[in-house]
Structure formats: structure tokens, C-alpha cells
Amino acid sequence: MSKYSKVILFFLIFLVSIFLFFQKNYFCGSLLFLLSLVPIFFLFRNEFLLLAFLKIRKKDMKGLKKYLGYIKNPKLQLTKNQISYYYFLNGILYSEKNILQSENYMQKALDFGLRFKQNIAIAKLNLAIASLSKGDKKRAELLLLEAKKMDISGFLHDQIQIIKMKMKKMNIGNRQNPYIRRN
């Protein structure tokens, strides 16, 4: 359901509740008034994103993909802040399968503006992993440093240390790109 249809639904239910108040049917009027607040709640908290966050908490990636699939047109269905979390959840979904697609989603999430520092740290950590897989060690180090600054609760400390140790073991700077032809 698009955000505009939720506003229209709110106004329709609200007008019916006002009509019932004028008809001196206070119980049904107040009940419909409370019911009219539901579309407004779901305007600011998308129902599919809420369900997707519940699935990610349970580590159910199939359920996450299912609920993210219900959002066909994010720009029409979601507000700007919700769009950033839609891309963030897609980035998490594809982080195990396709790191390059995950990188695109995480970059879009950062561009739209994630609100919480912990989510920004997770996005930067995923971008660092993607940069490392491409062979860009300097960008990966910069992103890891930014992720460490954003990780205020220390939740990602172990993952950051693991990636730093892998960076030390790898000799990325001297490796030739296998996709470039040599004459």
C-alpha cells in the first residue's frame, strides 16, 4: 500500500468517526477515531520493514527476502528514512551471496541516510569487506576506521579485528588485476 493511500484511508476513517460523533454515537466514533490512527502509524513505520526486522532478528533470511519482496516500489511506498533501511536490509540479505550487490545496497543506504550509528558502522564494515574483495586495501582501511569510530557499543569490535588480521595476511598491494589484459 502506498503512503498516499494510507493518508487517504486515514482521512476517510477520520471523517466517518466525526460523522458518528455528530450522530451521537460516541462509542463507534471513538472506536473509529482510534482505528484511523493505524494507517498513520504504518505511514511512519512500514509494516513490511517491521516484519523484515523481526525476521532478521531470528536470522531467517528466507523470511527477510519474502517481506522485502513485498516492497515493489520503495520510493512510492516508503518515506526517505524507510528507504535507507530498505536498502540496508537488502545489503544484509545479499552480503553472504553477492558482495558487490551488497555493496551497492549499503552505499545507497548510506546515501539516503541511516539514523543510528550502529547501522552506519555495519554498513561501513560491509563496504570495507567489499573493497577488500575488489583489492582496494586503502579504501578498506579507511572504511574500517570509520566503522570503528561509529561502533560506540563495541558490537563490531571482533569483526573489525578479524578483517584487520586478514588484511595483514593478504598482500593485496602487489597483486595484478586478473581482469586486465596484458599486451
Side-chain angles (χ1 to χ4, degrees):
M1 181 180 274
S2 74
K3 54 188 171 186
Y4 304 114
S5 60
K6 290 176 186 177
V7 171
I8 291 170
L9 183 64
F10 162 74
F11 280 121
L12 288 176
I13 296 173
F14 185 72
L15 290 175
V16 171
S17 71
I18 289 176
F19 175 74
L20 288 174
F21 277 122
F22 281 123
Q23 295 295 322
K24 304 224 187 269
N25 192 348
Y26 298 116
F27 178 73
C28 290
S30 59
L31 190 65
L32 277 178
F33 175 73
L34 291 174
L35 186 65
S36 71
L37 297 178
V38 172
I40 293 298
F41 173 75
F42 285 128
L43 179 67
F44 295 107
R45 302 282 183 233
N46 187 281
E47 59 272 13
F48 297 120
L49 283 179
L50 290 174
L51 291 170
F53 274 113
L54 287 175
K55 291 296 180 181
I56 202 166
R57 184 176 278 179
K58 293 180 182 178
K59 294 182 173 61
D60 180 15
M61 292 301 169
K62 289 181 183 178
L64 175 66
K65 186 174 183 175
K66 174 186 167 188
Y67 288 122
L68 288 178
Y70 286 124
I71 302 173
K72 302 290 185 211
N73 189 354
K75 293 184 180 181
L76 182 64
Q77 289 178 285
L78 306 172
T79 61
K80 182 181 176 185
N81 191 28
Q82 291 172 350
I83 292 172
S84 66
Y85 281 97
Y86 169 76
Y87 288 131
F88 177 71
L89 288 173
N90 271 312
I92 290 174
L93 179 66
Y94 290 105
S95 64
E96 295 177 3
K97 298 176 188 173
N98 188 352
I99 193 71
L100 298 178
Q101 192 172 9
S102 173
E103 178 188 19
N104 291 336
Y105 281 127
M106 288 296 182
Q107 190 60 50
K108 284 182 183 180
L110 287 172
D111 291 343
F112 275 101
L114 293 171
R115 278 193 296 169
F116 299 112
K117 288 185 177 182
Q118 195 65 37
N119 295 336
I120 295 171
I122 292 170
K124 296 218 182 223
L125 181 68
N126 281 339
L127 288 174
I129 293 169
S131 295
L132 197 59
S133 69
K134 286 181 179 179
D136 192 359
K137 187 176 179 180
K138 289 184 181 182
R139 184 169 185 257
E141 287 174 349
L142 178 69
L143 287 167
L144 278 177
L145 183 65
E146 291 176 8
K148 189 174 183 178
K149 286 179 186 176
M150 290 291 173
D151 186 26
I152 55 175
S153 64
F155 179 69
L156 299 174
H157 179 72
D158 294 336
Q159 287 86 355
I160 292 172
Q161 293 303 322
I162 290 170
I163 293 171
K164 282 185 178 180
M165 290 178 75
K166 286 184 180 181
M167 285 174 61
K168 287 179 183 176
K169 289 180 183 178
M170 296 173 73
N171 190 6
I172 294 177
N174 297 332
R175 191 173 82 178
Q176 294 292 326
N177 190 345
Y179 300 109
I180 297 177
R181 279 191 190 169
R182 292 180 188 94
N183 292 334

